[in-house]
Amino acid sequence: MAKRIARALAACCLFPTLPLSAAELPDYQRNSDWFTDGENRLAAKAEDERGNKTAKNVILFVGDGMGISTLTAARILEGQLRGESGEENNLSFEEFPYSALVKTYNTNQQTPDSAGTMTAIMTGVKTRAGVINIDGDALRADCASSKGRELNTFLELMESRGRSTGVVSTARITHATPAATYARTPERNWEHRAEGDCKDIATQLVEMEAGDGVDVILGGGRRNFIPTGADGERADGRDLTAEWLARYEGEQQAQYLETGSALSAVDIAGTDKLLGLFTSSHMRYEADRKASGADEPGIAEMTDAAIDLLQKNDDGYFLMVESGRIDHAHHAGNAYNALHDTIAFAEAVKTAVEKVDLEETLILVTADHSHVLTIAGYPTRGNPILGKMVTNDGTGAPQAEVAAAGDGLPYTTLSYANGPGHADLGSETDADERYTTAVNSGRKDLSAVDTKAPGFYQEALVPLGSESHAGEDISLHAIGAGSELVQGTLEQNAIFHVMVGATGIPVTAE
Ligand SMILES: [Zn+2]
């Protein structure tokens, strides 16, 4: 393809004489940075021959709730944090050579939830919202109806064929997305207890039957593994961290840890199994983690440690890394944390890209579903993405005044179609709290509000206690061995086949 482009360009400009005809491109066009940048990127993609190789390893990154508007806003913020205009920046994985759009609906919902969507990715089968790795014939929270409808996951296929496996999340490790890599349950909320003869999700993780269980488990949600008396949630009195250690005693070197400093001190060479549960519930938002100085690893550090351990297996590995709290920040109507967690997620992807051999490793980056975040108005180039609308005067210079909407009030570039921001501007409200009281307060005067502050809740049109997921497609980005399978518009369940196709792992008995 690179040659074809070069030939076309050469043919077009043999006689670059004035006056210009419509059949040629003038020098200032061909020499434009936009022009040569686009040309170089396409040429580089054409030369990437890793896309059709067989993958020994697969790393699946999932940004929970990381819709396309989140990517655009986060890339702008990442550039602006470096002092750039922002729009031209790319998040690390936006430079990958292959991408596709992905349809996310559940079998019973136009706009999906994480349980049904991650089931589609991990098993190749779509199901109902709230249901994890049970097919759509079962009913949510109905244990009896789930029997005989259980689905096996790509992680289990890899684990049972001697590959190493890992699960990393900034949410509770028993939350819907990570749970869908290893558990089967008709109710995503059965994290530490279940009904009927169904097993809770935490128990399924430590008792996993495929192979010898997940090799690296790093995330939050310790409370679901320990008894109520020990600050845990388990009414059955079991300490699953102790049971997990006992499972491997005398056979493999297993390490359980609870802090970031313990993780960075782990002797990877002398460790076969690693369980890190760093917080009682979800881990902190990245901005809070940094500001608090908590002894808690970031998502890039967890990714780094997981790959170090998994790479010890010469037969290959599967690792899933979830940024779970992009979704939570959006539900709160808070773009600040959603964008900062997306930037941290892109850093974790970069860490992986730099560590692995892409000739034998497939890296996929996707979301499970979108959110109703929107990027609106006509802000001038480089306007702070978390700021108020400032248009430009036509020469490119920003107007001196913040733009007013039809009601005379300023507005922000980022807003939500629904959520708590209809009435509540969060902790950055003005002193008389006039913004946080009325349920139907609608539009507010933001003149005195710092919309770039961490605790600002973007305005929302429709009042909902929790901002909702969105139903439009999300993106899938791919690099490395097998990545060329990622093209076009895919059903979410096809991502399973991308991983199977790239690795050639059998889905039937060998
Ligand atoms: Zn959600």
Side-chain angles (χ1 to χ4, degrees), residues 68-118:
I68 290 184
S69 59
T70 303
L71 293 182
T72 306
R75 88 161 74 105
I76 292 173
L77 180 61
E78 188 186 61
Q80 292 183 342
L81 290 171
R82 285 198 304 260
E84 299 161 9
S85 179
E87 299 84 1
E88 67 295 331
N89 181 48
N90 281 324
L91 297 169
S92 61
F93 52 86
E94 292 181 311
E95 305 273 2
F96 286 6
Y98 292 95
S99 58
L101 290 171
V102 177
K103 298 158 68 177
T104 64
Y105 64 95
N106 296 144
T107 56
N108 64 332
Q109 284 186 195
Q110 205 163 51
T111 295
D113 96 318
S114 297
T117 53
M118 193 60 174

Side-chain angles (χ1 to χ4, degrees), residues 64-65 113-114 175 188 327-328 331 368-369 371 467-469:
D64 199 310
D113 96 318
S114 297
H175 209 237
R188 59 179 285 174
D327 177 69
H328 300 165
H331 279 306
D368 46 357
H369 55 75
H371 271 271
E467 177 267 6
S468 81
H469 298 175

Side-chain angles (χ1 to χ4, degrees), residues 184-475:
R184 279 165 282 275
T185 176
E187 175 52 62
R188 59 179 285 174
N189 291 318
W190 291 350
E191 294 183 58
H192 59 83
R193 52 152 214 104
E195 291 172 12
D197 60 350
C198 283
K199 273 188 190 173
D200 66 85
I201 294 168
T203 299
Q204 291 189 49
L205 177 55
V206 300
E207 293 181 352
M208 181 173 156
E209 285 170 22
D212 58 359
V214 182
D215 300 280
V216 191
I217 305 162
L218 301 173
R222 191 165 62 235
R223 71 187 191 192
N224 293 321
F225 292 78
I226 55 179
T228 45
D231 284 338
E233 295 274 356
R234 300 199 65 86
D236 61 9
R238 290 173 70 177
D239 180 345
L240 296 181
T241 62
E243 290 185 30
W244 181 86
L245 284 168
R247 174 177 179 174
Y248 300 110
E249 193 172 356
E251 292 175 17
Q252 298 191 63
Q253 290 301 319
Q255 290 264 348
Y256 169 64
L257 36 91
E258 299 186 347
T259 62
S261 45
L263 180 64
S264 38
V266 165
D267 166 27
I268 293 288
T271 303
D272 305 309
K273 291 277 183 295
L274 187 58
L275 172 61
L277 298 173
F278 302 104
T279 47
S280 177
S281 182
H282 302 302
M283 295 176 73
R284 286 171 175 80
Y285 289 119
E286 178 64 9
D288 292 345
R289 186 185 74 85
K290 281 187 178 144
S292 70
D295 190 1
E296 186 182 312
I299 186 169
E301 294 161 76
M302 292 195 288
T303 302
D304 188 59
I307 294 173
D308 279 341
L309 195 144
L310 297 172
Q311 276 183 339
K312 298 199 305 178
N313 187 342
D314 289 336
D315 292 333
Y317 61 84
F318 170 70
L319 171 64
M320 194 287 296
V321 178
E322 185 208 24
S323 177
R325 308 216 63 203
I326 298 167
D327 177 69
H328 300 165
H330 278 322
H331 279 306
N334 176 239
Y336 182 96
N337 280 320
L339 302 189
H340 279 274
D341 271 35
T342 301
I343 292 168
F345 176 68
E347 276 296 313
V349 174
K350 183 162 172 261
T351 298
V353 168
E354 287 168 358
K355 279 182 90 77
V356 306
D357 180 359
L358 292 170
E359 300 280 340
E360 58 175 30
T361 305
L362 171 65
I363 297 183
L364 298 173
V365 181
T366 190
D368 46 357
H369 55 75
S370 184
H371 271 271
V372 297
L373 177 74
T374 186
I375 306 171
Y378 300 98
T380 191
R381 181 87 186 268
N383 196 50
I385 189 66
L386 291 164
K388 293 167 209 164
M389 181 68 47
V390 175
T391 54
N392 74 64
D393 65 3
T395 70
Q399 302 276 13
E401 302 269 305
V402 168
D407 55 8
L409 298 174
Y411 59 110
T412 52
T413 304
L414 299 182
S415 63
Y416 291 96
N418 61 43
H422 184 83
D424 181 1
L425 289 169
S427 59
E428 301 303 313
T429 51
D430 64 353
D432 64 5
E433 295 187 357
R434 65 197 149 124
Y435 305 129
T436 58
T437 47
V439 170
N440 284 310
S441 62
R443 292 269 292 141
K444 306 109 195 166
D445 184 355
L446 298 174
S447 306
V449 177
D450 178 6
T451 66
K452 303 195 285 298
F456 178 71
Y457 291 38
Q458 274 69 24
E459 285 190 282
L461 175 65
V462 175
L464 286 183
S466 174
E467 177 267 6
S468 81
H469 298 175
E472 81 276 0
D473 296 352
I474 49 85
S475 57

Side-chain angles (χ1 to χ4, degrees), residues 50-61:
R50 300 172 295 204
N52 63 6
K53 298 212 156 102
T54 299
K56 190 171 84 172
N57 316 305
V58 176
I59 306 178
L60 170 66
F61 283 93

